[in-house]
Short mmCIF file of all heavy atoms in Angstrom, two decimals:
data_model
loop_
_atom_site.label_atom_id
_atom_site.label_comp_id
_atom_site.label_asym_id
_atom_site.label_seq_id
_atom_site.Cartn_x
_atom_site.Cartn_y
_atom_site.Cartn_z
N ASN A 17 4.14 -7.65 -11.20
CA ASN A 17 5.21 -6.62 -11.23
C ASN A 17 6.51 -6.99 -11.78
O ASN A 17 7.40 -6.17 -12.04
CB ASN A 17 5.42 -5.93 -9.75
CG ASN A 17 4.49 -4.75 -9.54
OD1 ASN A 17 4.01 -4.13 -10.50
ND2 ASN A 17 4.28 -4.48 -8.36
N ALA A 19 6.93 -8.00 -14.77
CA ALA A 19 6.88 -7.35 -16.11
C ALA A 19 7.32 -5.85 -16.01
O ALA A 19 8.14 -5.42 -16.89
CB ALA A 19 5.57 -7.53 -16.80
N GLY A 39 8.12 -3.74 -1.58
CA GLY A 39 7.66 -5.07 -1.50
C GLY A 39 6.37 -5.41 -2.11
O GLY A 39 5.27 -5.57 -1.68
N HIS A 98 -25.82 6.81 -2.10
CA HIS A 98 -27.06 6.76 -1.47
C HIS A 98 -28.20 6.37 -2.34
O HIS A 98 -29.03 5.58 -2.12
CB HIS A 98 -27.40 8.22 -0.90
CG HIS A 98 -28.69 8.41 -0.20
ND1 HIS A 98 -29.88 8.64 -0.91
CD2 HIS A 98 -29.01 8.50 1.15
CE1 HIS A 98 -30.86 8.78 -0.07
NE2 HIS A 98 -30.37 8.68 1.18
N PHE A 147 -5.98 4.78 -9.23
CA PHE A 147 -4.61 5.50 -9.53
C PHE A 147 -4.13 5.00 -10.93
O PHE A 147 -3.24 5.63 -11.47
CB PHE A 147 -3.58 5.09 -8.48
CG PHE A 147 -3.82 5.65 -7.11
CD1 PHE A 147 -4.07 4.81 -6.09
CD2 PHE A 147 -3.74 7.02 -6.90
CE1 PHE A 147 -4.41 5.32 -4.79
CE2 PHE A 147 -3.97 7.50 -5.63
CZ PHE A 147 -4.33 6.69 -4.62
N ILE A 170 -18.34 -0.55 8.16
CA ILE A 170 -19.51 -0.10 8.90
C ILE A 170 -19.05 0.21 10.38
O ILE A 170 -18.45 -0.64 11.00
CB ILE A 170 -20.71 -1.09 8.91
CG1 ILE A 170 -21.21 -1.25 7.54
CG2 ILE A 170 -21.79 -0.57 9.90
CD1 ILE A 170 -22.19 -2.33 7.35
N ASP A 175 -23.15 -0.30 23.24
CA ASP A 175 -23.15 0.07 24.66
C ASP A 175 -21.97 -0.51 25.43
O ASP A 175 -22.00 -0.60 26.65
CB ASP A 175 -24.46 -0.33 25.34
CG ASP A 175 -24.73 -1.82 25.26
OD1 ASP A 175 -23.91 -2.59 24.62
OD2 ASP A 175 -25.80 -2.27 25.78
N GLY A 201 -2.12 21.94 -10.64
CA GLY A 201 -3.49 22.42 -10.19
C GLY A 201 -4.55 22.27 -11.25
O GLY A 201 -4.23 22.13 -12.46
N GLY A 275 0.84 -5.54 1.28
CA GLY A 275 1.19 -4.78 0.08
C GLY A 275 1.82 -5.66 -0.99
O GLY A 275 1.71 -5.32 -2.16
N GLN A 302 -13.48 -9.02 21.26
CA GLN A 302 -13.81 -7.80 22.05
C GLN A 302 -12.79 -7.62 23.17
O GLN A 302 -12.53 -8.52 23.95
CB GLN A 302 -15.20 -7.94 22.68
CG GLN A 302 -15.70 -6.72 23.34
CD GLN A 302 -17.15 -6.73 23.68
OE1 GLN A 302 -17.91 -7.56 23.23
NE2 GLN A 302 -17.55 -5.83 24.71
#
Side-chain angles (χ1 to χ4, degrees):
N17 269 338
H98 177 281
F147 295 112
I170 295 172
D175 57 2
Q302 186 172 340

